[in-house]
Amino acid sequence: MFKKIGPGVLVAAAFVGPGTITMCTLAGVRFGYALIWALLVSIIATIVLQGMAGRIGLVTQNGLVDVVRTELKTSWVRNVVIAIVLGAILVGNAAYEAGNVGGATLGLEQLLPQPELKPLLPAIIGVIIFLLLWFSNYKVLEKIFVGLVGIMGVSFVICAIITQPSISGILKGMFVPQLPEDGLLTVIALVGTTVVPYNLFLHASLVKEKWNSKTDLKAVNWDTIVSIGLGGLVSIAILITASAAPISEINNALDMAKALEPLFGKMAFLFMAIGLLAAGITSAITAPLAAAYVASSCFGWEGGMQNKKFKIVWAIVLLCGVVFLSFDIKPIEVIQFAQVANGILLPVMALLLLWIVNKKSVMGENKNTVLQNAFGIAIVVFAIFLGAKSIFKVVGLL
């Protein structure tokens, strides 16, 4: 079974980062178990979209941008789409990388509490990630991620068990949808941190690194469902844990850990810190990696992860994260641009995915079924709504 686990683990690790941990914490603290259904919906949506991206990568043996560029025959449409993709992924991932490195730093700070080390921690995390990416190939990264996701999953699930949650309350929150007052933006944020546009590009590129035959389609589907399902379980465990935390104000995931310590002991705090460190490192690796794969596809670079230009792209994204964090730079305008670009990118990519996986000339007998299209159309509609909300929020209309 574990031999079939691969790219999906990196996708799961990418969306269960510091941002997701913080949003799940906020949802749990403010609304208890009431919004677990929103996480369940977002996990299903992620499995459907990532399943399409993985299938495209396997059948075509190309990255997502390569396929889009080939299939979009109108030059101006092709150029606009590629410009949106490049802008959203390269600039967006560079802006958000500070949050990923910051999450790992927060976790490491609790494990190494010496005050004199604190200013050096972002650089230490940055060097660790740089070395992992520079000297690793896909197979090595896959093994590292299986280990890190395992640590992260065990840490957060143990935290949830320690809080002795209500099973009936969890089931009600999962299968009886309700929208508490002021809960809409939290629902949108939970979906937005789980259905991540850059993961679509990362997944398609990594699938062709691991598998090269259409007969491996079952393995790709298994990997996607199991890995993302486990990632979703981690997100739900964080929300459940947060619902037991007696706090009203949340700035980051460690606020929950500190609130849990008096009630559930030092072990709860320790497991939260370890989980946050693992989540930060995994997201801080996948964001630069996805940016490099997108740039490689857009510009047609050969050689995969060993290409020097590929390495330069992920190194710049990583450097931006470390610099923003080390010098306490708050790139608000850059992040706002990234939010707008990602708000446009998600529905655009969802539509393009749906279009490509229904083209017999591209997918052959592996094109979408009627049921897959029904799920896909529902997700596209929701992606448009989600994207519009994020854009309006940035420009101040909502």
Side-chain angles (χ1 to χ4, degrees):
M1 181 182 78
F2 288 105
K3 287 181 180 178
K4 295 179 181 178
I5 298 296
V9 171
L10 277 76
V11 171
F15 75 73
V16 186
T20 298
I21 293 171
T22 302
M23 282 316 306
C24 290
T25 301
L26 282 168
V29 167
R30 290 177 182 171
F31 306 110
Y33 302 149
L35 296 183
I36 295 179
W37 65 268
L39 274 176
L40 186 62
V41 168
S42 65
I43 292 158
I44 293 168
T46 303
I47 288 172
V48 172
L49 288 179
Q50 296 296 156
M52 291 182 194
R55 199 164 7 123
I56 290 169
L58 180 73
V59 171
T60 66
Q61 285 297 294
N62 277 309
L64 208 49
V65 177
D66 295 309
V67 179
V68 168
R69 194 174 56 205
T70 303
E71 294 305 313
L72 287 175
K73 307 299 183 186
T74 309
S75 60
W76 73 267
V77 175
R78 182 171 60 244
N79 292 338
V80 167
V81 169
I82 289 174
I84 291 171
V85 168
L86 271 174
I89 303 299
L90 296 186
V91 179
N93 286 15
Y96 294 137
E97 183 68 355
N100 296 330
V101 175
T105 302
L106 277 174
L108 188 59
E109 203 175 294
Q110 308 314 306
L111 303 174
L112 299 172
Q114 291 83 355
E116 64 273 14
L117 286 178
K118 189 174 179 180
L120 301 174
L121 293 181
I124 291 171
I125 295 290
V127 169
I128 291 169
I129 293 164
F130 181 89
L131 292 174
L132 285 173
L133 282 170
W134 188 268
F135 292 107
S136 296
N137 55 30
Y138 168 73
K139 288 184 178 178
V140 174
L141 277 181
E142 187 183 284
K143 290 175 182 175
I144 291 168
F145 269 75
V146 167
L148 286 172
V149 170
I151 291 168
M152 178 172 68
V154 169
S155 297
F156 288 129
V157 169
I158 286 176
C159 276
I161 293 169
I162 286 172
T163 63
Q164 299 178 337
S166 162
I167 302 300
S168 61
I170 291 170
L171 292 173
K172 183 181 176 184
M174 192 176 288
F175 298 112
V176 184
Q178 51 185 308
L179 188 63
E181 191 176 347
D182 300 325
L184 180 60
L185 286 179
T186 306
V187 169
I188 291 168
L190 285 173
V191 178
T193 59
T194 307
V195 188
V196 183
Y198 80 71
N199 275 344
L200 300 171
F201 303 94
L202 184 65
H203 199 182
S205 295
L206 293 178
V207 162
K208 71 183 180 68
E209 295 266 359
K210 186 175 178 71
W211 292 293
N212 53 25
S213 169
K214 293 178 186 178
T215 57
D216 293 315
L217 186 58
K218 281 188 178 179
V220 174
N221 291 336
W222 171 263
D223 170 51
T224 302
I225 293 167
V226 171
S227 299
I228 294 172
L230 289 173
L233 178 65
V234 172
S235 297
I236 291 170
I238 296 164
L239 188 151
I240 290 168
T241 306
S243 67
I247 43 177
S248 56
E249 188 176 341
I250 293 285
N251 294 310
N252 58 60
L254 268 183
D255 290 341
M256 172 172 67
K258 290 169 184 171
L260 290 172
E261 188 175 0
L263 288 176
F264 304 105
K266 185 73 177 174
M267 289 302 287
F269 181 81
L270 183 64
F271 278 119
M272 277 296 299
I274 292 170
L276 186 58
L277 173 62
I281 288 177
T282 53
S283 292
I285 292 173
T286 51
L289 198 59
Y293 271 120
V294 167
S296 181
S297 290
C298 285
F299 298 113
W301 300 334
E302 300 291 337
M305 288 181 67
Q306 303 312 312
N307 184 292
K308 286 184 179 178
K309 293 174 183 175
F310 185 98
K311 290 184 174 184
I312 288 169
V313 172
W314 64 246
I316 290 171
V317 172
L318 175 59
L319 182 64
C320 286
V322 173
V323 168
F324 288 159
L325 193 67
S326 299
F327 295 97
D328 200 27
I329 299 169
K330 294 182 171 54
I332 299 301
E333 289 82 7
V334 180
I335 289 173
Q336 285 183 333
F337 169 81
Q339 286 176 330
V340 171
N342 277 319
I344 297 169
L345 182 62
L346 181 57
V348 167
M349 285 314 303
L351 280 166
L352 284 172
L353 273 178
L354 206 55
W355 174 58
I356 291 167
V357 291
N358 278 289
K359 290 198 75 169
K360 195 159 188 179
S361 60
V362 177
M363 301 300 295
E365 62 184 16
N366 296 299
K367 70 187 189 73
N368 261 11
T369 63
V370 174
L371 182 61
Q372 286 171 325
N373 277 332
F375 275 115
I377 290 166
I379 293 166
V380 165
V381 171
F382 191 71
I384 292 168
F385 171 73
L386 189 71
K389 272 281 187 184
S390 67
I391 293 165
F392 290 155
K393 185 181 175 185
V394 167
V395 300
L397 297 177
L398 287 176

